[in-house]
Amino acid sequence: MKKKAILGTLTLVLVVLTLNFVKIHHEETMIKETLLEGYVHGAFNELNPEAMQSTFHEDFAIFSPGKEGAISRYPINIWVENTKKQKSNPNFDASKNKWDHKFKAVKVAGHAAMVELELHKDGNHVFTDYLSLLKFEDEWKVVAKVYHRHQ
């Protein structure tokens, strides 16, 4: 009787752990797909402002160090407008605008997530980005970014 109870408990624990793993893996996959479409391709490779707007929350901003300890804030609406201008520039050559990416980490806790993403251009590691995401109903939105530009 005691062995059956232990076996039953272990089976239940295994089922719960498996379901949790599957759910987290599903969320990580959704996050990566969101970032590929609206960030890697939207903001970098294809310069797709519509994809950016669907990926980033309207209150999104890029945060970086400013002068005298201040924080510089670059909001999504300005980034989208600058992307539109860059894409419409007659000198813009999409074939030369190829960025590679590497997901270094994707961490999910309920409706919050953090992604560490590297961006490479012409074989050079240019950016390491740290993206914060929140899940709204059934979709993930990027809400903040901090980054390091490699020299």
Side-chain angles (χ1 to χ4, degrees):
M1 185 79 147
K2 193 174 187 181
K3 288 181 183 180
K4 284 185 180 182
I6 291 172
L7 185 58
T9 302
L10 289 176
T11 302
L12 181 60
V13 168
L14 184 59
V15 167
V16 169
L17 288 175
T18 301
L19 291 174
N20 192 42
F21 173 79
V22 168
K23 180 169 177 37
I24 289 173
H25 179 72
H26 173 72
E27 297 299 334
E28 288 175 0
T29 300
M30 286 177 58
I31 289 166
K32 287 179 179 180
E33 288 172 359
T34 297
L35 292 176
L36 283 174
E37 182 181 332
Y39 186 63
V40 174
H41 295 298
F44 289 91
N45 285 334
E46 298 165 15
L47 299 182
N48 183 338
E50 292 79 20
M52 290 175 69
Q53 288 175 315
S54 69
T55 297
F56 295 93
H57 189 274
E58 64 185 24
D59 293 325
F60 166 89
I62 299 172
F63 296 94
S64 56
K67 295 180 180 179
E68 299 177 15
I71 294 176
S72 176
R73 186 176 186 278
Y74 187 59
I76 188 61
N77 60 328
I78 294 174
W79 191 10
V80 167
E81 287 305 313
N82 286 337
T83 300
K84 288 176 183 177
K85 288 177 190 173
Q86 183 181 357
K87 189 173 184 174
S88 67
N89 184 327
N91 296 323
F92 174 70
D93 184 355
S95 68
K96 294 180 181 177
N97 194 46
K98 299 297 179 202
W99 291 81
D100 295 313
H101 68 282
K102 290 182 185 174
F103 286 101
K104 299 303 282 185
V106 178
K107 304 289 183 182
V108 179
H111 66 274
M114 181 284 305
V115 174
E116 178 182 356
L117 178 71
E118 291 181 356
L119 290 166
H120 301 255
K121 187 164 185 174
D122 301 325
N124 297 310
H125 183 183
V126 181
F127 294 109
T128 299
D129 295 336
Y130 298 95
L131 304 162
S132 297
L133 296 95
L134 292 173
K135 189 171 185 182
F136 297 91
E137 299 188 22
D138 290 333
E139 64 181 355
W140 288 93
K141 295 279 188 178
V142 183
V143 297
K145 169 183 164 176
V146 296
Y147 68 97
H148 173 71
R149 182 182 188 108
H150 299 271
Q151 300 300 327

